Amino acid sequence: MKNLVIDIGNSRIKSALFEGKDLIGDHSFEDFDAALRFWEAMDFQACLVSSVRFTQEELAEKISFPFVFLSHDSHLPILNGYSTPKTLGLDRIAAAIGAWDLAGKKSVLAIDLGSCITYEWVDELSIYRGGAISPGLQMRAKAMNSFTARLPLVALDQKPEDALGNSTVSCMQSGIWYGVEYELLGHIEAYRLKIPEIKVYICGGDSLSFESLAKDHIFVVPNLVLHGLNCILNHNVE
């Protein structure tokens, strides 16, 4: 069965076509009407939409084909052990489910490198337990510029070759890039000490900048959230 999954964010729209669990292709849009024309020309049997921009009622007026709307009341393939489940971002739980599914429904740590860095843990009982949230690359750069009198807003086009900066700008760039890298490695190691067999999946807009971390237990999957949305859709239509 072919599935269309759609993730409507505040500024960008992402969608992907799956055949069962296999990703056929994914696309990104800035304009909703252009995205809608693209989807309406596609061949699929089921659709799931996750949206922070539109309500289910608003989408029902815009979209001509049937769809499952992801909400905090949706049926999930894992149990949600978060103490405040209604406050849990749907992209966070989707990333966790995508990692859990790709790992063969075993204990996983999903890390999303977006505006914020989020850490999501699903245990060996397939229960989402929570994780952590910290500032992302751009947020760290903007914070240093906003909360100081003299530090500039630095560009983060590429990772510095060395953690040692030799100017104010290069020191800031090194501090941001390597601060994130060391944070990632620290979180991963803390989980591995408790769960040696845990697998780690890294996704998000900045994930490709940290591909060097990939190894036998760490996987970089930029479209992990879309995989999670597809897993949720399969769970709801099966």
Side-chain angles (χ1 to χ4, degrees), residues 203-216:
C203 67
D206 291 323
S207 60
L208 294 178
S209 300
F210 294 89
E211 277 192 304
S212 61
L213 300 183
K215 52 184 67 177
D216 60 341

Side-chain angles (χ1 to χ4, degrees), residues 82 88 92 109-110 118-121 128-133 187 191:
Y82 210 49
L88 177 62
R92 292 180 61 194
L109 175 65
T118 60
Y119 301 83
E120 322 295 349
W121 175 40
Y128 173 81
R129 295 296 187 182
I133 305 174
H187 273 279
Y191 277 91

